[in-house]
Amino acid sequence: MEKLENTLVLCFRVLIGVSFAVLIAAVLVQVVGRLTSNSPIWTEELTRFALLYVAAIGAGLSFRSGDLVNVDIFCEAFGDAWSRRLRFVSAILTATLSAVLIFPAWQYVKIGQLQTSPAMQMPMHLVHFSVLALLIILFLFSALRAVSIALYGQEGRPVGLD
Amino acid sequence: MALTVLLGVFILGLMIGVPVAVTLGLASFAYLSYVGIPVVVMPQKMYAGMDVFVLLSIPGFILAGNLMNMGGITERIIRFANALVGWIRGGLGLTNVGASMLFGGITGTAVADAASIGGVMIPGMKKAGYPADFSAAVTAASSTVGPIIPPSVPMIIVGALSGISVGQMFLAGAIPGILMGFAMMVTTYLIARKKNFPKQPWLGFTEISKSFGGAFWAIAMTGIIIYGLLSGLATPTETAIVASVYAFVVGAFVYGDLPLKAVPKILINSAISSAAILVLVGFANVFGWILVSERIPQAIADAVLTITDNPILVVLIINILLLFVGMFMETIAALIILFVPLLSLAQAVGIEPLHFATFAVLNLMIGLTTPPLGVCLFVCSNIARVPLTPVVKAIFPFLITNIIVLLLVSYIPALATWLPSVMLK
């Protein structure tokens, strides 16, 4: 279980790093283009798409780290055993919401098949796919937390940024 | 009934401890299912919420701040602030506030400020004879100027929610941030005189100029950001990324304190922090769309206006509500949920969006230092190794100071709107 989680975390950390690097590179090309009066038209679009993938890939990692903030004052007030149960319920609710939205998100991806982006001529379903990816990844990490609490006796608290 | 479902699920989700973003999604899903609107609207609205031009600058500003923070700016800024004000009674307390003001112009996050400045200043102040609770309190209180002095992630979020440009928002925060910093310096001085806290020796103009030389490259980043935004040469996103490159060069090659092997980790962690904000914005866009279609902002405005339409009282009601929510909820989450509904109310009594946005952000920052959820309070009491209660008592004068500044900014619009009107003609 721990090995699976570590592997997932490593994969998504690499992917989010790559997405952010693409975003930075696109903006830098834009800046250099501006200075040399030869600004490509695709950079702004690529920056936007890269950011959407940063959000999608980071959804699970931010759930795990606790960056996806919650109000824990009430659940922590009930003592350790109850707050652990509530963290389990919270993880289940997160996984359930993500799961029920996966099919609507897939429908949204299909809508994008009919469109292309203006500058890069990229099929928009590849961009809309970021929302589907966000929900799948959020489902993965919240389900993992629920399983780790229920079956492996873990506390299920956010672990912070590595 | 549909509205009861929406708000009921939302409040229940928050109480259980579900992440705020997910709670917004759950409430929206329950509402849409109840009224029979196809749920496919949710991914569409999430996408639309995250695909906003202004939000593109958030990861860049977070990365620039994190790179600078890891690149050895803390000691240099503290040394410079100490040379400037350390010789006054309560000098290390004043240094603490001054360093936070300079730090705020670079990183723009209160928690990073509290941890970085606190890590150096709190042990130093304790060693010099300052009480631990006061040392923690002044650090926590002064860290709240970070997200008010530009750059500021909450200000970017407000820009995205209201359509106000990032440049305008950043400039609107400058005077209130400086005012807040100076007000806290006065409070520190008065406490220091009353309790006879020590002062440092005057180190002379040579030390001021030497320490400025050390801090210059870090402080210059604020100048680059402001220039980039005001000159019209660069978009906020370009400014943020150029600031990141600058922070990397200064940290790695000028100061030499930023290990190259730490850069990927900083990059990835900055991306994760940004993703958390974007996911929140995405789900909040669905929730916000429902609120607007149910005319909730208008209903809130009408409800308050039946009690009073006096702008002075309305501003007071808005501030009390925000202070209360800020005590329990994280700043950006509170902003995203409350900003649009309260903006309608503010506009109904003639308050400019830019003015409202500024005092709303300032207000929610105060929540970072109030129990039970004052993150900066926890960080500083941990560093000082004192229980929370004495720190809460010690921070009380600073809370009063910050609330006075909040009221000044709330009732004197020019404090927020004058600088943008002059600089962005």
Side-chain angles (χ1 to χ4, degrees):
Chain A
M1 176 73 180
E2 204 181 321
K3 205 174 165 187
L4 171 70
E5 188 175 343
N6 289 342
T7 312
L8 277 175
V9 168
L10 182 66
C11 287
F12 286 119
R13 282 182 70 87
V14 170
L15 285 173
I16 199 171
V18 170
S19 301
F20 197 9
V22 169
L23 189 155
I24 293 170
V27 175
L28 287 177
V29 169
Q30 196 168 301
V31 172
V32 172
R34 177 84 43 84
L35 296 174
T36 55
S37 304
N38 186 22
S39 195
I41 54 165
W42 49 267
T43 48
E44 196 260 337
E45 239 177 48
L46 182 60
T47 310
R48 276 171 40 219
F49 299 164
L51 183 73
L52 288 165
Y53 273 93
V54 165
I57 298 162
L61 293 170
S62 61
F63 177 81
R64 178 177 176 269
S65 69
D67 280 54
L68 211 55
V69 288
N70 68 340
V71 180
D72 59 3
I73 180 159
F74 302 107
C75 53
E76 293 294 336
F78 292 115
D80 285 349
W82 267 103
S83 62
R84 184 169 170 272
R85 282 180 201 129
L86 288 173
R87 279 195 294 277
F88 174 72
V89 174
S90 163
I92 289 288
L93 286 171
T94 307
T96 308
L97 177 73
S98 312
V100 296
L101 287 179
I102 284 175
F103 182 67
W106 172 244
Q107 287 177 302
Y108 181 56
V109 171
K110 286 202 291 187
I111 292 170
Q113 282 177 332
L114 307 170
Q115 305 161 339
T116 50
S117 67
M120 294 170 69
Q121 294 295 306
M122 183 190 270
M124 282 305 285
H125 68 272
L126 295 179
V127 186
H128 290 185
F129 182 78
S130 59
V131 183
L132 179 61
L134 185 157
L135 293 163
I136 293 172
I137 294 167
L138 190 56
F139 171 78
L140 257 177
F141 277 85
S142 49
L144 263 178
R145 181 178 291 173
V147 170
S148 73
I149 295 172
L151 302 182
Y152 293 87
Q154 291 184 7
E155 283 298 308
R157 290 184 192 281
V159 296
L161 287 171
D162 292 314
Chain B
M1 184 60 192
L3 209 56
T4 313
V5 170
L6 180 80
L7 297 178
V9 173
F10 176 65
I11 292 167
L12 194 67
L14 285 185
M15 291 182 79
I16 289 173
V18 179
V20 178
V22 179
T23 307
L24 291 165
L26 283 168
S28 306
F29 180 80
Y31 171 91
L32 294 173
S33 306
Y34 184 82
V35 297
I37 295 174
V39 186
V40 71
V41 79
M42 281 189 74
Q44 281 173 4
K45 291 288 169 195
M46 284 171 70
Y47 177 89
M50 293 187 291
D51 189 25
V52 174
F53 178 72
V54 175
L55 299 177
L56 286 170
S57 62
I58 288 179
F61 281 122
I62 292 180
L63 176 63
N66 287 345
L67 283 168
M68 268 294 181
N69 196 16
M70 298 293 286
I73 59 165
T74 312
E75 284 79 5
R76 289 174 174 87
I77 282 178
I78 288 175
R79 185 181 163 193
F80 176 52
N82 191 42
L84 283 177
V85 292
W87 52 276
I88 304 169
R89 174 77 54 201
L92 286 184
L94 299 175
T95 300
N96 199 324
V97 180
S100 285
M101 290 168 74
L102 295 170
F103 202 85
I106 297 160
T107 73
T109 53
V111 181
D113 178 324
S116 304
I117 306 268
V120 179
M121 285 304 298
I122 294 175
M125 286 177 76
K126 279 168 72 177
K127 206 171 160 188
Y130 289 78
D133 53 356
F134 174 81
S135 311
V138 72
T139 310
S142 62
S143 68
T144 57
V145 297
I148 300 163
I149 292 176
S152 155
V153 172
M155 293 288 194
I156 298 171
I157 296 284
V158 164
L161 292 171
S162 61
I164 302 169
S165 78
V166 173
Q168 272 186 309
M169 281 309 312
F170 279 10
L171 283 177
I175 292 178
I178 293 167
L179 189 65
M180 206 164 156
F182 281 125
M184 276 190 278
M185 281 189 173
V186 171
T187 308
T188 306
Y189 175 71
L190 293 176
I191 296 172
R193 268 188 58 171
K194 192 179 166 195
K195 299 197 172 173
N196 204 23
F197 287 158
K199 56 183 176 182
Q200 310 298 111
W202 164 246
L203 298 169
F205 288 105
T206 321
E207 171 61 11
I208 290 181
S209 100
K210 259 190 189 171
S211 59
F212 177 71
F216 171 79
W217 297 104
I219 297 169
M221 196 169 95
T222 315
I224 289 174
I225 292 169
I226 298 291
Y227 178 75
L229 292 174
L230 297 190
S231 63
L233 284 175
T235 64
T237 313
E238 291 167 354
T239 305
I241 296 297
V242 168
S244 298
V245 173
Y246 175 82
F248 168 71
V249 171
V250 169
F253 304 113
V254 180
Y255 290 161
D257 288 342
L258 178 68
L260 289 180
K261 64 179 181 185
V263 174
K265 189 174 166 180
I266 296 170
L267 187 93
I268 289 167
N269 286 348
S270 303
I272 295 172
S273 302
S274 311
I277 295 171
L278 288 158
V279 173
L280 181 60
V281 171
F283 279 113
N285 197 45
V286 189
F287 191 80
W289 172 72
I290 295 171
L291 289 186
V292 171
S293 59
E294 282 277 353
R295 297 175 57 81
I296 301 296
Q298 195 55 47
I300 292 174
D302 290 345
V304 174
L305 292 174
T306 53
I307 303 167
T308 177
D309 58 0
N310 180 333
I312 294 173
L313 289 178
V314 170
V315 166
L316 193 65
I317 291 170
I318 291 175
N319 272 318
I320 290 170
L321 177 71
L322 286 172
L323 276 173
F324 180 75
V325 173
M327 286 171 71
F328 297 95
M329 197 178 280
E330 194 265 344
T331 314
I332 290 174
L335 260 183
I336 287 176
I337 295 165
L338 287 174
F339 185 79
V340 174
L342 292 179
L343 178 62
S344 300
L345 174 59
Q347 284 183 300
V349 290
I351 298 166
E352 268 186 68
L354 181 62
H355 175 216
F356 169 66
T358 311
F359 76 75
V361 171
L362 205 153
N363 183 313
L364 288 170
M365 285 309 129
I366 295 174
L368 292 170
T369 54
T370 54
L373 274 187
V375 188
C376 296
L377 213 54
F378 295 123
V379 170
C380 294
S381 68
N382 270 341
I383 298 172
R385 295 187 183 149
V386 277
L388 202 58
T389 313
V391 183
V392 171
K393 280 184 191 162
I395 209 167
F396 197 69
F398 294 102
L399 276 181
I400 301 287
T401 307
N402 284 348
I403 289 172
I404 291 171
V405 174
L406 169 66
L407 292 175
L408 283 174
V409 176
S410 300
Y411 290 116
I412 307 174
L415 289 174
T417 57
W418 176 75
L419 196 59
S421 69
V422 174
M423 301 287 280
L424 293 169
K425 262 183 185 169

